[in-house]
Amino acid sequence: MDIKVTFPDKKEVLLPAGTTVGDAIEAWRKEMIPATVAAKVNGVSVDLNSALLGDAAISLIDIKTKEGLAVLRHSISHVMAQAVQDVFPGAKVSIGPSIEDGFYYDFEYKDSFTREDFAKIEERMKEIIAANYPFIREEVSRRQAVKLFEERGENYKVELINDLPTDVDIVSLYKQGNYIDLCRGPHIPSTGIIKAFKLLSVAGAYWRGDERNKMLQRIYGTGFPDDAALADYLILQEEAKKRDHRRLGRELDLFQINEEAGPGLVIFHPKGMLLRYIIEEWERKEHLKRGYDMVMGPQILKVDLWKKSGHFDHYRENMYFTEVEEQAYGIKPMNCLSHMLIYKSKIRSYRDLPLRFFELGTVHRHEKTGVLHGLLRARQFTQDDAHILCTPEQLNSEIRKIADFVNYAMGIFGFEYDVELSTRPENSIGSDQDWELATSALENALKDNKIPYEINAGDGAFYGPKIDFKLKDALKRKWQCATIQCDFTLPERFELSYIGADGEKHRPVMLHRVILGAIERFMGVLIEHYAGAFPVWLAPTQCVVLTVTDKHLAYAQSVYDKLIVAGLRCEKYFENEKLGYKVRQAQMQKIPYMLVIGDKEAANETVSPRARDGEKLDAMPVNKFIELVHDICAKNK
């Protein structure tokens, strides 16, 4: 029996039923095979050795695409797991997915893995790759799979199978050589396709991310289509270490996270708080320019309110709770509830809309210890949160205005960005109709603004779809900061309404949005983006006055006083130290300008600025330097 196969160029051919996907592609265009690691058949990702049993539309998954890299890296994780079990008999495997920049696999083993073990594991991986074992998919009954993994002592795999929905009767296994794993796939055709990989680090990880479970050992690695791409990545990783905001936070005296206070809780030092203040003040001014009203809600709200909103059912594992006078309260993980109570405080007319409530709101979320990461993932943080309540007719315009605001902000702070539209997750509230309306509203606004975007299926908030803006830093890493979420559900749950032109009650639509996101997270990204060398307008310290000897103290102090009065953020290095030492200190603190005060400057009542990059400016009066800094700041914000 022949089947009809349609290829990406719309070409249709008849092939015998049972032809593999790889053979079909090879018959179509043989030159495409080397770069193809898997394919989609009627929209479903499959292995190249999968058989075509009916009419099919085929699209290719290229090894250099995001999806293709994920297939490659997941396949490498299987090779690593096989190598670990070969080198360390008795090691048990659990899960090993691909991640943003690579892959990991979690193991249970009696001894601790070290970085010194990586060479032995990598050597065995190379042998497995050289053997060019095919990745063979096999579908077996649930009962057979449990029996197989019980016999192999793989209790984690048995638990995963037993936790599958009861209606799942068939599971898929993958084999390469003597290694068998529980996996949905797809995988590359064979191990020999792997060309470039590297094991990177090892860390502890609780089974299923739950601290009540056993601590496993997680080995991280990465893989690329070729050695050149891997080498480029490793160079970027070394640069990333130098830019690590936690290290720079200590060196530049910006903040600390102290175990005495608690993990995930940030303590800002004076310079760090000044940087934060600059960012927040910029935000307040920009929001006021755009017609936002500033509001503030309490840190705790009654649990009944969180139940009404749906957070208690869908988000409570991330919340903290307390009790006051036998009344249960939830510490807010989000700011939206207070804003809706503000809306409900009086009758609203269509003439009042849109209403834009803005709050730099501090929230608390119960993040697991294993995912905490300096400023980038904390338990207490402040969001530049706003909720826009508008009529359905105003929705498109409001979304487009937010997108314009994000674009402006990213330009001010020096970031490029990509955009994703995240759709309905499995765990959600609201009707199908509302989700379709909300998703269409976001998508149409992106199209109207001519903003390119990708679909991120199933990653929306539980109450609505969202647009995510992924900013790219100096190392081209992506960070989630700005977001726009469209919500028909919460206005329904809280019975929000406005009086329309027809005199009847109507339901408003709510947009949840942040521009920079969590202030702490954005600061962490800024520190790494600029490697701590902030532009003049953002720098906590814009200049430092340095004396050559003590006889210049009086004039240096007068310069410092003028700079402070003029609004410049200035420090003074008047210690009885050599000038070279003071200059090095200023350079280590990445201060934009050093003003050296010696005999000539004191006599002529001038300053001689040295820029952070080593450029020496001509001597100038203090007022001229103040004007210079003000002009630079005005051009950059």
Side-chain angles (χ1 to χ4, degrees):
M1 180 184 105
D2 286 343
I3 58 174
K4 183 173 72 174
V5 180
T6 306
F7 293 97
D9 62 357
K10 307 303 181 187
K11 182 178 180 180
E12 295 179 352
V13 298
L14 294 176
L15 294 172
T19 301
T20 68
V21 175
D23 287 344
I25 294 171
E26 190 167 11
W28 167 60
R29 289 180 62 180
K30 186 176 182 178
E31 70 274 14
M32 303 300 289
I33 285 293
T36 304
V37 289
K40 288 186 177 180
V41 175
N42 298 328
V44 178
S45 299
V46 300
D47 306 308
L48 292 183
N49 59 12
S50 296
L52 296 169
L53 302 178
D55 292 350
I58 294 178
S59 59
L60 281 55
I61 299 177
D62 187 281
I63 195 170
K64 292 185 178 179
T65 64
K66 182 178 179 181
E67 195 169 0
L69 276 174
V71 172
L72 173 68
R73 289 164 174 170
H74 185 43
S75 301
I76 300 174
S77 79
H78 278 229
V79 171
M80 181 180 74
Q82 179 181 359
V84 168
Q85 290 195 320
D86 289 348
V87 175
F88 299 98
K92 295 181 179 182
V93 294
S94 58
I95 57 172
S98 64
I99 52 177
E100 181 71 26
D101 290 322
F103 59 87
Y104 68 78
Y105 218 117
D106 290 347
F107 302 91
E108 179 189 328
Y109 188 60
K110 56 184 173 57
D111 299 321
S112 296
F113 297 131
T114 66
R115 293 183 64 87
E116 287 68 37
D117 294 324
F118 288 180
K120 291 181 282 187
I121 298 170
E122 288 178 339
E123 189 59 38
R124 178 57 186 142
M125 290 174 70
K126 290 174 184 176
E127 293 172 357
I128 296 167
I129 292 166
N132 199 24
Y133 294 123
F135 280 91
I136 302 171
R137 179 186 176 93
E138 182 180 350
E139 293 187 347
V140 301
S141 71
R142 183 178 185 140
R143 180 182 55 79
Q144 286 175 297
V146 168
K147 183 173 184 293
L148 170 69
F149 287 113
E150 283 179 340
E151 289 172 351
R152 296 172 71 93
E154 297 289 5
N155 52 295
Y156 296 103
K157 299 296 181 183
V158 172
E159 183 177 328
L160 289 171
I161 297 168
N162 287 335
D163 285 350
L164 291 171
T166 55
D167 60 348
V168 175
D169 297 321
I170 301 296
V171 298
S172 57
L173 309 178
Y174 276 85
K175 300 178 182 179
Q176 83 265 5
N178 62 358
Y179 181 74
I180 304 175
D181 209 339
L182 174 73
C183 187
R184 286 181 300 183
H187 283 284
I188 59 178
S190 67
T191 61
I193 290 171
I194 299 168
K195 304 299 181 187
F197 69 92
K198 180 73 175 174
L199 303 189
L200 301 173
S201 61
V202 60
Y206 292 108
W207 168 233
R208 292 187 155 179
D210 189 335
E211 50 269 300
R212 294 169 296 184
N213 290 337
K214 188 176 183 66
M215 174 73 79
L216 305 178
Q217 298 185 70
R218 176 172 295 176
I219 298 178
Y220 287 95
T222 193
F224 287 89
D226 53 58
D227 289 328
L230 175 62
D232 289 344
Y233 173 79
L234 295 176
I235 290 170
L236 285 179
Q237 287 300 102
E238 286 303 310
E239 179 62 26
K241 290 178 184 177
K242 297 175 188 175
R243 293 170 178 259
D244 190 315
H245 74 282
R246 294 165 298 180
R247 180 177 67 82
L248 289 172
R250 291 190 300 271
E251 292 176 1
L252 302 180
D253 198 23
L254 299 175
F255 68 91
Q256 65 170 290
I257 296 176
N258 195 313
E259 287 299 317
E260 288 188 71
L265 303 174
V266 183
I267 299 172
F268 285 99
H269 292 201
K271 288 183 183 179
M273 192 60 211
L274 187 50
L275 174 61
R276 178 176 177 145
Y277 172 81
I278 295 163
I279 295 168
E280 291 182 347
E281 277 304 286
W282 177 87
E283 284 231 79
R284 289 187 179 96
K285 290 175 183 175
E286 293 299 328
H287 278 82
L288 289 174
K289 285 180 190 176
R290 290 167 173 79
Y292 285 81
D293 295 311
M294 287 193 282
V295 298
M296 180 177 285
Q299 285 298 115
I300 62 173
L301 296 159
K302 288 182 178 179
V303 163
D304 291 346
L305 207 59
W306 297 110
K307 289 180 178 178
K308 187 175 185 179
S309 69
H311 287 84
F312 189 81
D313 289 333
H314 296 269
Y315 203 75
R316 70 173 175 270
E317 69 276 6
N318 296 104
M319 293 179 64
Y320 298 102
F321 296 92
T322 188
E323 191 173 288
V324 181
E325 296 177 351
E326 299 182 359
Q327 170 67 57
Y329 287 83
I331 301 172
K332 69 173 179 177
M334 299 173 184
N335 299 297
C336 41
L337 271 60
S338 295
H339 297 190
M340 294 203 297
L341 295 181
I342 294 171
Y343 183 92
K344 285 189 72 173
S345 64
K346 60 183 178 180
I347 296 171
R348 306 289 181 176
S349 161
Y350 73 98
R351 298 179 187 276
D352 300 325
L353 303 183
L355 286 172
R356 307 181 186 102
F357 297 138
F358 168 63
E359 177 178 2
L360 280 165
T362 299
V363 299
H364 296 79
R365 295 184 185 175
H366 185 195
E367 302 284 6
K368 296 184 184 302
T369 303
V371 301
L372 296 174
H373 186 79
L375 297 179
L376 302 178
R377 195 74 175 265
R379 286 178 173 159
Q380 175 184 296
F381 52 92
T382 299
Q383 293 180 300
D384 60 341
D385 219 346
H387 295 91
I388 298 170
L389 291 130
C390 62
T391 69
E393 295 76 22
Q394 295 167 331
L395 196 53
N396 179 272
S397 172
E398 290 302 308
I399 296 170
R400 294 179 67 185
K401 286 176 183 176
I402 298 168
D404 288 340
F405 192 177
V406 172
N407 185 63
Y408 174 76
M410 293 303 105
I412 290 294
F413 288 96
F415 291 111
E416 297 177 356
Y417 60 89
D418 290 332
V419 178
E420 290 180 352
L421 175 61
S422 298
T423 58
R424 188 174 190 172
E426 291 183 13
N427 179 22
S428 62
I429 58 178
S431 68
D432 292 344
Q433 181 184 10
D434 284 348
W435 274 88
E436 289 171 10
L437 287 170
T439 305
S440 296
L442 294 174
E443 192 161 20
N444 289 337
L446 288 172
K447 290 176 179 176
D448 290 344
N449 270 24
K450 295 181 171 54
I451 298 173
Y453 64 94
E454 293 183 359
I455 298 291
N456 186 10
D459 200 41
F462 73 85
Y463 46 77
K466 60 178 179 171
I467 297 170
D468 288 326
F469 297 82
K470 303 288 184 74
L471 62 84
K472 293 186 282 189
D473 67 12
L475 301 184
K476 302 304 179 185
R477 298 172 299 178
K478 293 184 181 180
W479 305 94
Q480 169 59 55
C481 289
T483 188
I484 308 171
Q485 299 169 356
C486 188
D487 183 1
F488 284 80
T489 303
L490 289 185
E492 182 77 29
R493 288 194 167 211
F494 280 81
E495 300 177 336
L496 304 187
S497 64
Y498 64 91
I499 306 302
D502 58 2
E504 299 297 322
K505 281 188 175 183
H506 298 269
R507 189 77 68 207
V509 185
M510 176 184 264
L511 291 171
H512 309 245
R513 50 104 291 196
V514 293
I515 302 299
L516 305 182
I519 300 299
E520 289 81 354
R521 180 180 175 82
F522 188 74
M523 287 175 64
V525 174
L526 271 179
I527 292 168
E528 297 198 4
H529 179 59
Y530 288 111
F534 302 108
V536 178
W537 80 273
L538 264 179
T541 303
Q542 296 171 315
C543 56
V544 57
V545 181
L546 305 87
T547 50
V548 176
T549 68
D550 284 353
K551 69 179 180 179
H552 307 120
L553 283 174
Y555 177 64
Q557 182 65 48
S558 70
V559 170
Y560 173 80
D561 291 342
K562 287 181 181 178
L563 296 173
I564 293 295
V565 169
L568 271 63
R569 300 185 291 276
C570 185
E571 292 184 31
K572 51 186 179 181
Y573 288 1
F574 292 176
E575 303 91 340
N576 187 20
E577 299 281 356
K578 291 182 178 179
L579 179 61
Y581 172 82
K582 295 178 184 178
V583 169
R584 284 193 299 276
Q585 289 297 107
Q587 289 173 333
M588 289 173 62
Q589 289 298 300
K590 303 179 186 289
I591 297 171
Y593 290 104
M594 292 169 272
L595 305 179
V596 177
I597 306 298
D599 290 339
K600 186 163 58 175
E601 289 78 18
N604 296 330
E605 295 189 347
T606 60
V607 293
S608 297
R610 297 186 187 184
R612 181 170 49 202
D613 61 6
E615 180 188 3
K616 292 184 179 180
L617 282 65
D618 294 335
M620 61 183 74
V622 179
N623 288 343
K624 187 72 174 176
F625 176 73
I626 291 170
E627 184 181 324
L628 170 71
V629 174
H630 282 165
D631 286 347
I632 291 171
C633 293
K635 291 175 184 176
N636 286 278
K637 67 171 181 175

